[in-house]
Amino acid sequence: MSEAKKSLLVTGGSRGIGAAICRLAAKRGYRVAVNYASNEAAALALVKEIESGGGEAFAIKGDVGNEADVLAMFAAVDSRFGGLDVLVNNAGVVDQKARVDELIMARLERMMRINVIGSILCAREAVRRMSTLHGGKGGAIVNISSAAARLGSPGEYVDYAASKGAIDTFTIGLACEVATEGVRVNAVRPGLIDTEIHASGGQPDRLERIRGAIPMKREGKAAEIASAVLWLLSDEASYTTGALLDVSGAR
Ligand code: NAP
């Protein structure tokens, strides 16, 4: 199917990496569902920007870590687009810098609920719509993991790194499970990318601090992650599934 007819849901699509994915997808002709958690103004501004460029998009509020919200979000996509062709599980959070011996239960539950359970719930709903086993016509899922899954984020947020390790494992397992059902499942592992997530974790100077340790000596742009994601979603990646693609300047 041509990209021009495909429908796409991007969780956490209103800002940062998710917004770059929505912008590029709209330019390539996808109809785009932009999910957000609370910042309605950012989501509506992105929808307006896409529409003024001739694209089609709409915003859906919902917490991916809340099952009722996830069900409502997919129902909204069904009614607006008549089904879902491709999903990007992008919504994710970090937290304040802390060692493991300082972590509290509430933080761990939030981290795993949003980053891990949220992605699995959304993938479940996507497979129910895309898999030929369920009468679907196939599709593709890209999970946004992180280089942290390899690096472990010691002294910063090991819990976040572990949540992304879970995403890598989930990607491999689900890819194998639906490999003969027309659904490809891959992950992109961004390195240090210039978005607001670092400030939201209380480290607005994180880019400056880590930049020098990156072999390319620079942070990445959200648009550079979007290019990799759009390739994985496209038919050009027809034999690529279960892959974990590092987009990290060799870090
Ligand atoms: P960001 O700039 O902080 O944007 C986060 C987006 O996710 C926003 O649209 C936000 O919506 C949404 N969101 C947050 N919690 C949500 C929830 N519970 N349900 C639905 N949406 C939610 O983050 P980013 O840097 O673009 O990161 C995107 C993904 O890339 C994350 O999975 C992150 O772990 C991963 N990543 C980022 C980097 C990096 O250096 N930036 C590196 C590796 C991996 P609101 O605006 O409504 O809050």
Side-chain angles (χ1 to χ4, degrees), residues 144-168:
I144 304 299
S145 173
S146 171
R150 289 183 283 106
L151 300 168
S153 307
E156 209 171 26
Y157 26 60
V158 169
D159 50 345
Y160 169 78
S163 78
K164 295 301 187 174
I167 290 301
D168 287 0

Side-chain angles (χ1 to χ4, degrees), residues 11-18 35-40 42 62-65 89-94 114-115 144-147 160 164 189-198 200 206:
T11 67
S14 55
R15 294 189 290 115
I17 291 170
N35 161 247
Y36 67 99
S38 59
N39 187 339
E40 184 180 35
D63 174 359
V64 295
N89 264 324
N90 166 79
V93 292
V94 294
I114 296 173
N115 293 7
I144 304 299
S145 173
S146 171
Y160 169 78
K164 295 301 187 174
R189 297 196 291 205
L192 185 72
I193 308 300
D194 185 6
T195 72
E196 293 165 350
I197 201 170
H198 313 291
S200 75
R206 193 163 179 265

Side-chain angles (χ1 to χ4, degrees), residues 24-194:
L24 186 59
K27 270 194 196 123
R28 299 211 178 151
Y30 284 91
R31 295 175 293 165
V32 183
V34 180
N35 161 247
Y36 67 99
S38 59
N39 187 339
E40 184 180 35
L44 294 180
L46 178 63
V47 167
K48 202 171 164 193
E49 180 191 326
I50 288 172
E51 287 174 343
S52 60
E56 183 179 350
F58 79 107
I60 323 171
K61 181 176 163 69
D63 174 359
V64 295
N66 177 307
E67 187 173 22
D69 282 11
V70 169
L71 293 176
M73 182 164 71
F74 277 80
V77 173
D78 288 342
S79 77
R80 176 75 183 239
F81 293 152
L84 181 70
D85 295 304
V86 292
L87 166 71
V88 180
N89 264 324
N90 166 79
V93 292
V94 294
D95 212 314
Q96 304 298 303
K97 193 173 168 173
R99 284 169 46 98
V100 171
D101 49 17
E102 298 170 308
L103 297 179
I104 60 166
M105 188 69 177
R107 164 180 168 143
L108 292 171
E109 284 181 341
R110 169 181 174 266
M111 185 80 76
M112 299 302 159
R113 188 176 55 75
I114 296 173
N115 293 7
V116 182
I117 297 174
S119 295
I120 296 176
L121 284 176
C122 290
R124 179 192 74 188
E125 291 308 306
V127 167
R128 285 176 177 173
R129 286 159 176 79
M130 295 173 186
S131 167
T132 53
L133 191 70
H134 296 290
K137 53 187 187 325
I141 299 171
V142 172
N143 297 319
I144 304 299
S145 173
S146 171
R150 289 183 283 106
L151 300 168
S153 307
E156 209 171 26
Y157 26 60
V158 169
D159 50 345
Y160 169 78
S163 78
K164 295 301 187 174
I167 290 301
D168 287 0
T169 306
F170 176 65
T171 299
I172 294 165
L174 180 60
C176 295
E177 203 167 280
V178 297
T180 59
E181 299 167 23
V183 183
R184 293 181 302 102
V185 186
N186 293 289
V188 168
R189 297 196 291 205
L192 185 72
I193 308 300
D194 185 6

